[in-house]
Structure formats: structure tokens, C-alpha cells
Amino acid sequence: MIEYRNLRVALLGAGSVGSQVASLLLEHRDELANRVGAGLDLVGVAVRDMDAARDADIPKELLTTDAESLILGSDIVVELIGGLEPARTHILNAINSGADVITANKALLATHGPELFEAAGQVGAQLYYEAAVGGAIPIIRPLRDSLAGDRVQRILGIVNGTTNFILDLMDREGESLEQALKTAQDLGYAEADPTADVEGYDAAQKAAILASLAFHSTVPLESVYREGITGITHEQVVKARRAGFVIKLLAICERLTGPEGQDGVSVRVHPALIPDAHPLAAVHGANNAVFLEAEAAGNLMFYGAGAGGIETASAVLGDVVSAARRHVAGGPGVAESAHANLPVLPIDAVTTRYQITLAVLDRPGVLATIATEFSEHGVSVEAVEQHAAEVRPGAASTATLVIGTHEATESSLAATVAALKASDVVSSVESVLRVEGL
Amino acid sequence: MIEYRNLRVALLGAGSVGSQVASLLLEHRDELANRVGAGLDLVGVAVRDMDAARDADIPKELLTTDAESLILGSDIVVELIGGLEPARTHILNAINSGADVITANKALLATHGPELFEAAGQVGAQLYYEAAVGGAIPIIRPLRDSLAGDRVQRILGIVNGTTNFILDLMDREGESLEQALKTAQDLGYAEADPTADVEGYDAAQKAAILASLAFHSTVPLESVYREGITGITHEQVVKARRAGFVIKLLAICERLTGPEGQDGVSVRVHPALIPDAHPLAAVHGANNAVFLEAEAAGNLMFYGAGAGGIETASAVLGDVVSAARRHVAGGPGVAESAHANLPVLPIDAVTTRYQITLAVLDRPGVLATIATEFSEHGVSVEAVEQHAAEVRPGAASTATLVIGTHEATESSLAATVAALKASDVVSSVESVLRVEGL
């Protein structure tokens, strides 16, 4: 039945994902051969330390520390080392030696994507990266192929499992940010140094990748606006829930019209309030989901495990099979393209709704003073809620105001907040949160 | 920049989907050309009636009643006529003339799929059908490509928008089945003759398509077990909700071990109870969703609009772009395959949980008698709930028993139900529902 020669697959890295990829390639050998129409030979696994402990067993004789030799002569190279170097050099070497490349390396793609895609395009090689965003969730292929005839307007993504796990614990178990982070670390959902996750760096890389693909444009990582979750308090989460919202760390990619009327996109990562009936509000634990609005298709959502060795290995293997089928079928594949070339607009160009919580002096005329600050800066107030005044002996009594705005620009909102901070009647600006998904 | 010749696209059918496809092809001409690397010329639209009203305007000069001539000389043929003939003949003609074919025709694929895929395989043509299942939701491509290296264990799909709309109205608005059907018809979600939807025929076609693809096996439409929603009462919906469940019409495809230990699959459509915390329970209105369990990827869900002219047109256009890119890139594409060739096992081989509601005589010893019937037929009882006895003057008082079972086979459950019906202590078997998604 199968007449095509076996294809040589090289694996770089044998961490939690790599060892599962090796194990599945060996275990499902016959089934994969049937699906591809050619056998897939795992010819070697490049590692730094031959004796390190692995999540899944890999036959000793496949291990090597010589990645360079392994790459030469392979048909398909799977890069699962992570980080910028030597991953970048290995991938360029693989492409130039005529191999197709599969990678899950979001940092590398967000930083050096255009260079890698150009190198691949020049020799007609393919670069697959389904596992770089959303772990096991098919999102790259639907964006690249299924929606290729549509126009994506907006993506709201929960693309970092660690922060979703933490925010979900704060919401559902009443934990503080510190407690929830500790729990996440104890359970292996967060690393000892959690900066990349909690400060939104990981999500920003994924946002850059999604936006490049959805908008057919180059989106440099530096152009992604980024705020993490370290400013989020348990009190904010509780108040949000009471008001019918959930706080999620969102990666947002949207088409926008810039201040001079030019077409552009906004790509940003920040915590936001979303209504509790929104499909993203039901994404619990370390799961990921990408909610997408397209001109013709309407609203779509893709949901699943955003991380995990074996789950991510599934996405990697899907790419291996795609690459292998292309070898068997022949012909170059589909090249990436940034033909639309939309500029990434600064965060100041974004309009969204806000919820602002203020501690104010509890005396007549305060609300009028505050309302004037909003209107003078061009921010329209949609709703005001006043909470019980707190009376402390010897101190002026204060009240809490929660103000919801209509759509406003970041810059006018920032000017409003600055004015409020300087105002005599405002004791403190307790929180400023964006509202998405209405 | 673009040097490839323009590709000739023929459209068969100009109904709600077809007219939107035509309109998007014309409106987004430049954008699509950039994405493909070649222009897409809509060379004609075959219709039965030149003067019929259309959802979207199509230039008069593109309309023709001569589908056969239109097909010859086209690079890509989009079949949106529906039904078995003449759609089947047109598609075979298109394939044999060297064109790639895009179709949204689930009835045709479920009935003549193997014949069409074989014809395409022989000449190296491609047959795309993303729009045949789940409207705008990318599900065919993720199953075919993204999960190509994984092993799908189970699919639970809400794949018929009409029945989900009806069940959702019964659940959320307290309407009866008849009222809800009438509302669905008034709003255009159900047809005047709703049989294909409410009796599960439409869902069964989609189940056959999903199962063929997920299990790499031939799944004849006749082998799909099918029950519609006409037996579902408002009372059942209310009781289900009280017990923490929602009733959904599910298309279920799963790997099974048959009675003789053989590998096989079950493909079935029936109403089922699912826990209200299951992601599918939150799929409201006419939306569709496919929940999928894969060996490595874990649980995934794909959600969106399951029907609608413009939404479905998005999926069709994604296929047009894929087919066009393949023309530009050259080389044959990926052929369908039924290499795994798993048999479809009869419904008797399926094990699932059940919830059985009985009206019984309210007297001592009745529960013991009923429990004996279950155990004698090999069905293990997980939970029994007894509701307040109803006392009518002059009649023996009756009570309601709601019995939840552990996993049992269809055949042993059927035997149990037959025995209960014949039992002296059982006044009536009020409902038997399968429970999925636990």
C-alpha cells in the first residue's frame, strides 16, 4: 500500500513536550504511517544532557548532543528547545538544508518570525507552529485556512493558563493574588519566577503571533501594549463579580481606525472586565480560549487545554503529519504573508469602556465636581453607583463611587484619571479597569 | 507582484449561502487575490430560475441556467444546490474535468461521500466541505489536519441549530415543544416541514461526516442510530434542570470495544441529559458546538453559528482560498482515507448511563421489587430519588421514582425497561433518557 520512502524526523529538545512527541511518534508509528502515506522515522533527539530525567521514556540510542549533524539529512525538524538561541540558528539551518520545520517557540516567532518566514519562503520550506499559541487548541490553522476568505475584526483571547488559573482561584475560592500564585506554583501551573506569565510577557508574544496571522500584517513584539495582573486585588475581583463581571487577562487584537482615519490594528494584553454571560467568562482553571469576531462568520470560540506536555504534543504531531503529507503530495506549501501590512496603532488610539472606582469625600456637590472632570476630558459617563459612606472618628467621611463610562480613548481616560487624582474631592483612585466583550 | 493567472470559480446555486458567497467573492476581490497569490474570477452562477429573488445582489450577466457548460473550464466549482441530484452528477463532472470542488452538501456527503472522494482521489482533485458541518465553525480542517497526529476518542456535538433553539426555548422560556417549534418557524429557524431537523436526520448526516473523518473509517448513513426530539416534554426539561442537567440533541461519535472484543465505533444521534456545568450546556439559541475528547489533546470545544447564509459563506470561502492556494502552489493535495476501517457497531453495543422515571404504586416492598428487576438484567443502580406520593380518592396512591444507573448497555437497559413495563408495581415508565458528558 505505502510506497513512499520513510521520512526522517529530527527532534530538538526532550522536555515535557518533546519527550511526549517522541513517545507518541514511536507508539503510534503504524497509525501515523497510514495517515501520511509514508513511514515517519524518528532519527534522533537532540538534548543538552544525555542523562537528564524525562517525562516519557526515549530509547537511549536516539539521544544525541549533536543537534547540527542531526538536522542535516532530516526531512522534518521539530524544534522544542524554546528561547531565542540556539533555536533560531537551528531552525535557519534546517530550512536551508531543505527541511520543513515545526516549532512551538512563541518567543522566537514573536521576535524573529518575519526573518524565519522569509528564509522558509525563499527555499519553499514550511514553518508550522500550531503549538505556539493555545497549546492543544487548533487556532493557527483555522485562522490561516478556515477564515482565509473572511475578515477577522477582533480576537479576545485567554492565552495564558497560569494567569487564568490565578484569577479563577481569586474569583472562585476567594484567595488573594499572593495565595493564588503560591497555589499555582505548588501545583506546577506557575514557575518559581512567574514574571513571564503574571506580567503578560507570554500573552504578549501570543498576541503578536495571532495578530500577524489574523490581519496579514507584521506585528513587532515591541508594538504590543502589555499590562500584567499584579495590580489586581481580591477586592476588585469580588466587586467585579457583584457587578456582573469577571476579570480575565485578555490578549486583544482588533482592527481600528487611527486618529488620522488610517486603517490599523491594536494589539494589547491587559486585565479586563468581561460580562459574566460572555463565553470567555466560563473558561476556568488553566484552560485557554480564543474568542473571535469575523465579518462573515460572526462569533467563534476555540477552547481547550492551553498547556501541558502531552496536550501540546498533540498540536506538534498534527503539524508533523501536515508537513509529512506535503512531502508525499509534493509541491511547495502555503507561504506566510504580510500583504495587508496594517500599522499597529499605539494604545492611545484604542477606545474602550472603563470602570473607575474612586474614594471621595462624602459631602454635597462632590458628584457634580467629578462628573465635570469626566465631561471636560470628553469621557461620557454611563452609570454611577455610590457605596455606603465610611465614617471614621476624627476624619472626614468618605464614600466609594463606581463609575462606568461609554467608549472613550485611552488618552482622554488617562487625562481624566490624572485630573481626578489632583482633585480636592477625591481621596484616591482605587481602580481603573477596562471593560471588554460587551 | 501577482504573476499567476486568474483562477476561474464557478458557483452552482444562489440561495442564502450561494448569493453571499458570490457577493463576498466580488466585494473582497483584491483582498482575496493578495491572500491567494492569484485573482479569483467568478465566471458564472448556475441557477434554476434567472428571476428569483436573492439574499444578495448578483450581476445579471453572471447568472446562467446551464450548469454543465459552466463547470467545464472552471478551476474551482462551488456546489451549493443541496440534495442528492443533480448535485452529485455536477460534482463528478467537475472532478472529472480537473476542477477542485467545494461543497456544503451534508446529505450528499453522508450518502455518496466514498464515491465522491474516490473519484477525486483518482484524478488528484480536492473535495473541500468545511461548511457541511457546523456552518461557520472550523471543524473539518481541525479534525483532518490539527488532530492528524492524535487519536480522537469521542465527539459530542450540538450540530443542529433548529433543535438546539427549540430545546433552549423550552428550558429558558418554559415553552412546550409545540410552542417552541412554532416560535422557531416564525423566526425562520425551522422550516414549514421541520422533520429533517426535529427527527434528527440532519444531525445524523453530520454525525456520519464527523465520524468518518475522526476515525478514518467509512460510516454509512444507515449505520447511524437516530432519535429526534419529538418525545421530549416540557416536564422532562424542567425536571432535568432541577436535577442539574440540560437536555440537548447530541451527535455522538465514539471509539468502542464491541461485544466480541473488536475495535469499533458508535455513531448516534439522540436527546441526552448533560450536566449543567458541561461546556455544551452553555450553548444557547441556534448556535452549534463540537466538544471533542482526544487521547493527547484532551478536551477541546469549537463553538459558533451553525447556520446562516453569510456565516456559512465564510466557511465556503475559506475552502475556496485553500483550493486556490493549492492551484498556485501546485501538487496534489491530501486525499481522504478510510484506512483505519473500523466497523460501526450497533446501538446495542453502546454503554452509557440512564435516567429512568417511573410512576409506581406507593406501598411497601415496591422499591425492592424494582431494584431486583434492574439487577436481574445486569443494570447497576447508582441513585434513586422518590418524589411525593400522589393520593387520588378511590385510586391506589402512586409515587414517582427517578432512577440513575451506572453505565449499562442499550440491550440490558431495554430488557430492564420491558420488564418494568410488565411489572405489577409499575403504573407507567414516564421517561428514559441517556446521560452524557459526565
Side-chain angles (χ1 to χ4, degrees):
Chain A
M1 232 339 244
I2 294 170
E3 288 161 12
Y4 203 86
R5 73 171 171 86
N6 283 6
L7 294 168
R8 298 166 59 85
V9 180
L11 190 55
L12 313 182
S16 62
V17 179
S19 59
Q20 296 287 357
V21 169
S23 153
L24 289 169
L25 271 172
L26 297 171
E27 205 179 301
H28 294 180
R29 222 192 120 70
D30 295 344
E31 204 166 330
L32 292 170
N34 277 321
R35 292 189 195 170
V36 169
L40 297 178
D41 289 344
L42 178 60
V43 293
V45 182
V47 295
R48 264 184 311 192
D49 175 2
M50 301 283 284
D51 300 314
R54 318 268 173 223
D55 287 6
D57 276 345
I58 301 174
K60 270 274 178 208
E61 64 273 19
L62 288 178
L63 297 179
T64 171
T65 54
D66 183 2
E68 282 180 43
S69 306
L70 180 62
I71 289 166
L72 291 172
S74 292
D75 299 299
I76 296 169
V77 173
V78 182
E79 184 274 306
L80 297 169
I81 305 173
L84 300 187
E85 284 293 354
R88 174 180 154 276
T89 303
H90 286 329
I91 289 179
L92 289 172
N93 286 343
I95 288 170
N96 291 327
S97 79
D100 284 337
V101 173
I102 286 113
T103 178
N105 193 329
K106 54 198 175 283
L108 182 62
L109 287 169
T111 313
H112 295 297
E115 179 192 13
L116 301 177
F117 290 118
E118 204 198 316
Q122 277 177 1
V123 298
Q126 289 285 290
L127 185 56
Y128 298 87
Y129 54 102
E130 183 62 75
V133 182
I137 308 170
I139 179 63
I140 300 300
R141 206 171 263 105
L143 269 178
R144 194 193 59 190
D145 297 331
S146 308
L147 290 160
D150 206 333
R151 199 178 278 170
V152 175
Q153 300 292 2
R154 200 146 184 264
I155 293 173
L156 297 180
I158 294 174
V159 294
N160 179 271
T162 306
T163 46
N164 200 60
F165 183 86
I166 290 172
L167 292 172
D168 197 39
L169 268 186
M170 291 171 73
D171 180 39
R172 300 213 289 181
E173 307 293 334
E175 295 192 4
S176 70
L177 179 71
E178 294 67 32
Q179 285 170 326
L181 173 58
K182 173 82 173 50
T183 307
Q185 284 169 326
D186 290 347
L187 294 173
Y189 287 116
E191 307 198 23
D193 175 0
T195 312
D197 293 317
V198 300
E199 294 295 358
Y201 290 99
D202 172 83
Q205 291 166 353
K206 292 165 177 168
I209 294 170
L210 289 176
S212 303
L213 194 57
F215 302 130
H216 311 277
S217 297
T218 303
V219 177
L221 186 53
E222 317 82 72
S223 69
V224 179
Y225 177 84
R226 181 194 50 75
E227 274 176 43
I229 63 164
T230 44
I232 301 297
T233 64
H234 174 58
E235 199 187 355
Q236 285 177 328
V237 172
V238 170
K239 283 187 175 164
R241 181 57 88 174
R242 254 187 238 140
F245 292 97
V246 183
I247 299 181
K248 295 287 188 189
L249 182 71
L250 297 184
I252 302 175
C253 315
E254 61 183 345
R255 274 178 203 273
L256 278 189
T257 306
E260 279 103 47
Q262 78 275 36
D263 282 340
V265 298
S266 163
V267 188
R268 56 192 199 269
V269 169
H270 56 67
L273 298 171
I274 53 170
D276 54 16
H278 193 284
L280 286 175
V283 177
H284 298 298
N287 283 306
N288 280 199
V290 176
F291 185 85
L292 187 153
E293 300 165 31
E295 193 176 275
N299 295 342
L300 299 172
M301 191 170 87
F302 304 81
Y303 164 93
I310 183 129
E311 293 86 350
T312 308
S314 168
V316 170
L317 274 182
D319 281 350
V320 170
V321 170
S322 288
R325 283 175 173 164
R326 197 180 75 79
H327 265 274
V328 175
V334 176
E336 297 296 318
S337 149
H339 59 79
N341 218 10
L342 295 168
V344 180
L345 301 172
I347 189 78
D348 292 346
V350 173
T351 64
T352 186
R353 290 166 184 245
Y354 295 85
Q355 192 192 74
I356 298 128
T357 307
L358 303 175
V360 298
L361 299 186
D362 190 23
R363 65 177 194 219
V366 165
L367 187 55
T369 309
I370 287 170
T372 307
E373 293 293 3
F374 277 87
S375 70
E376 276 182 358
H377 293 92
V379 177
S380 167
V381 171
E382 193 206 9
V384 179
E385 209 180 311
Q386 171 152 359
H387 293 289
E390 189 188 327
V391 186
R392 276 171 299 189
S397 72
T398 62
T400 301
L401 282 185
V402 180
I403 298 163
T405 76
H406 285 291
E407 292 227 326
T409 62
E410 284 274 340
S411 48
S412 52
L413 198 279
T416 310
V417 170
L420 290 171
K421 281 186 176 160
S423 165
D424 290 348
V425 303
V426 175
S427 315
S428 68
V429 176
E430 298 194 339
S431 103
V432 179
L433 286 167
R434 297 178 188 85
V435 184
E436 300 283 349
L438 282 176
Chain B
M1 227 349 237
I2 294 171
E3 289 162 10
Y4 204 86
R5 72 170 172 87
N6 282 7
L7 295 169
R8 298 165 57 85
V9 181
L11 190 54
L12 313 181
S16 63
V17 180
S19 58
Q20 295 288 358
V21 169
S23 154
L24 290 169
L25 272 172
L26 297 171
E27 205 179 300
H28 294 181
R29 223 190 119 69
D30 296 344
E31 203 166 329
L32 292 171
N34 277 323
R35 293 190 195 169
V36 169
L40 297 179
D41 289 344
L42 178 60
V43 292
V45 182
V47 295
R48 263 184 312 191
D49 175 1
M50 301 282 283
D51 300 314
R54 319 267 172 226
D55 287 5
D57 277 345
I58 302 175
K60 270 274 178 209
E61 64 274 18
L62 288 178
L63 298 179
T64 172
T65 55
D66 183 3
E68 282 179 45
S69 306
L70 179 62
I71 289 167
L72 290 172
S74 292
D75 299 300
I76 296 169
V77 174
V78 182
E79 184 276 306
L80 297 168
I81 305 172
L84 301 187
E85 285 293 354
R88 174 179 154 275
T89 303
H90 286 330
I91 289 180
L92 289 172
N93 286 344
I95 288 170
N96 290 326
S97 79
D100 284 337
V101 173
I102 287 112
T103 179
N105 194 329
K106 53 197 176 282
L108 181 62
L109 287 168
T111 312
H112 296 298
E115 178 193 12
L116 300 177
F117 289 117
E118 203 199 315
Q122 276 176 2
V123 300
Q126 289 286 289
L127 185 56
Y128 297 88
Y129 55 101
E130 183 62 76
V133 181
I137 309 169
I139 180 62
I140 299 300
R141 205 171 264 106
L143 269 178
R144 195 193 60 191
D145 297 330
S146 309
L147 290 160
D150 205 333
R151 199 177 277 172
V152 175
Q153 301 292 1
R154 200 147 185 263
I155 293 173
L156 297 180
I158 295 174
V159 294
N160 180 271
T162 307
T163 46
N164 199 61
F165 183 85
I166 290 171
L167 292 171
D168 197 38
L169 269 187
M170 292 171 72
D171 180 38
R172 300 213 288 180
E173 306 293 333
E175 295 193 5
S176 70
L177 179 70
E178 293 69 31
Q179 285 170 328
L181 173 57
K182 174 82 172 50
T183 308
Q185 285 170 325
D186 290 347
L187 294 172
Y189 287 117
E191 308 200 20
D193 176 359
T195 312
D197 293 317
V198 300
E199 295 294 359
Y201 290 100
D202 172 83
Q205 290 165 354
K206 292 166 177 168
I209 294 170
L210 290 177
S212 303
L213 194 58
F215 303 130
H216 311 276
S217 296
T218 304
V219 176
L221 186 53
E222 318 81 72
S223 69
V224 180
Y225 176 84
R226 182 193 51 74
E227 274 176 45
I229 63 164
T230 46
I232 301 298
T233 64
H234 174 57
E235 200 188 353
Q236 284 178 331
V237 172
V238 171
K239 283 188 174 163
R241 182 56 88 173
R242 253 185 241 141
F245 293 98
V246 183
I247 299 182
K248 294 286 187 189
L249 182 70
L250 296 184
I252 302 174
C253 316
E254 63 183 344
R255 274 179 205 271
L256 278 189
T257 306
E260 279 103 50
Q262 78 275 38
D263 281 340
V265 297
S266 163
V267 188
R268 56 192 200 269
V269 170
H270 56 67
L273 298 172
I274 53 170
D276 54 17
H278 194 284
L280 286 175
V283 177
H284 299 298
N287 284 307
N288 280 197
V290 176
F291 185 85
L292 186 153
E293 300 165 29
E295 194 177 275
N299 295 341
L300 300 172
M301 191 169 87
F302 305 80
Y303 164 93
I310 184 130
E311 293 87 349
T312 308
S314 169
V316 170
L317 274 182
D319 281 350
V320 170
V321 169
S322 288
R325 282 176 175 164
R326 198 180 75 79
H327 263 276
V328 175
V334 177
E336 297 297 319
S337 148
H339 61 79
N341 218 10
L342 295 169
V344 181
L345 300 172
I347 188 78
D348 292 348
V350 173
T351 64
T352 186
R353 291 165 183 244
Y354 295 86
Q355 191 192 76
I356 298 129
T357 307
L358 303 174
V360 298
L361 299 186
D362 191 23
R363 65 177 193 216
V366 164
L367 187 57
T369 308
I370 287 170
T372 305
E373 292 293 1
F374 276 88
S375 71
E376 276 183 358
H377 292 92
V379 178
S380 166
V381 171
E382 193 207 7
V384 180
E385 207 180 312
Q386 171 152 359
H387 293 289
E390 189 188 330
V391 186
R392 277 170 301 190
S397 72
T398 63
T400 301
L401 282 185
V402 180
I403 297 162
T405 76
H406 285 290
E407 292 228 326
T409 62
E410 284 274 339
S411 49
S412 53
L413 197 277
T416 308
V417 170
L420 290 171
K421 281 184 176 161
S423 165
D424 290 346
V425 302
V426 175
S427 314
S428 68
V429 177
E430 298 193 340
S431 104
V432 179
L433 286 167
R434 297 177 187 86
V435 183
E436 300 285 349
L438 282 176

